[in-house]
Amino acid sequence: MTPIQMANMAAIVANKGSYITPHFVKAVKNQGTENKQELWEKFSFPTNTTSIERKHCETVGEAMELVVKYGTARRAFIPDIAVCGKTGTVQNPHGENHAVFVGYAPAENPKIAVAVIIENAGGGGTWAAPTASLMIEKY
């Protein structure tokens, strides 16, 4: 999986089975407002629906929130934001393993999905989870 596919998978869980096709934005010009939310709402992106039942996404999302609160992704914890995530370690036959974290926030009414891969950094909870936490906090 590519990082964008991983983030999209997190978005599917966050949105209970639906997603917006990932896209890259080269630039956003001021559309007469300085408010980021108002600017974002001017864009219109179609929503795609998967065949994954909502109840399964809810179960996985609850588990991902517990992983951040009590499990391997504790370093992604942000006191005022309910972060949901999963850590991973990708085996690397050429050196140290790669650290992975995928997640979204906040748990209720999610606004951001992230995927972090740090090459040769070991387990995902050590470096990828706190890096994702900084990205979420900055957003």
Side-chain angles (χ1 to χ4, degrees):
M1 290 182 84
T2 65
I4 196 80
Q5 290 171 320
M6 293 170 63
N8 200 41
M9 185 230 21
I12 291 169
V13 173
N15 293 317
K16 312 297 188 263
S18 64
Y19 66 98
I20 295 171
T21 301
H23 53 278
F24 291 96
V25 177
K26 184 176 180 180
V28 176
K29 296 181 181 178
N30 188 328
Q31 302 290 317
T33 179
E34 293 296 322
N35 183 306
K36 289 179 186 177
Q37 184 64 33
E38 288 177 21
L39 184 59
W40 179 253
E41 289 170 359
K42 289 185 177 191
F43 293 98
S44 177
F45 301 106
T47 300
N48 304 291
T49 304
T50 68
S51 61
I52 302 168
E53 292 181 44
R54 181 181 185 91
K55 66 182 180 181
H56 300 307
C57 291
E58 289 171 351
T59 300
V60 171
E62 290 169 8
M64 290 172 71
E65 187 172 4
L66 293 174
V67 169
V68 173
K69 284 183 179 178
Y70 307 111
T72 56
R74 287 186 306 276
R75 291 183 176 156
F77 181 81
I78 302 171
D80 297 330
I81 302 171
V83 178
C84 301
K86 177 69 180 94
T87 61
T89 304
V90 178
Q91 293 180 339
N92 177 14
H94 308 290
E96 292 294 318
N97 292 332
H98 306 313
V100 176
F101 176 90
V102 61
Y104 63 91
E108 297 298 322
N109 195 21
K111 300 293 182 196
I112 183 172
V114 297
V116 176
I117 300 173
I118 302 178
E119 293 182 337
N120 308 113
T126 304
W127 295 105
T131 301
S133 176
L134 291 172
M135 293 166 60
I136 292 167
E137 194 171 37
K138 180 67 177 171
Y139 177 81

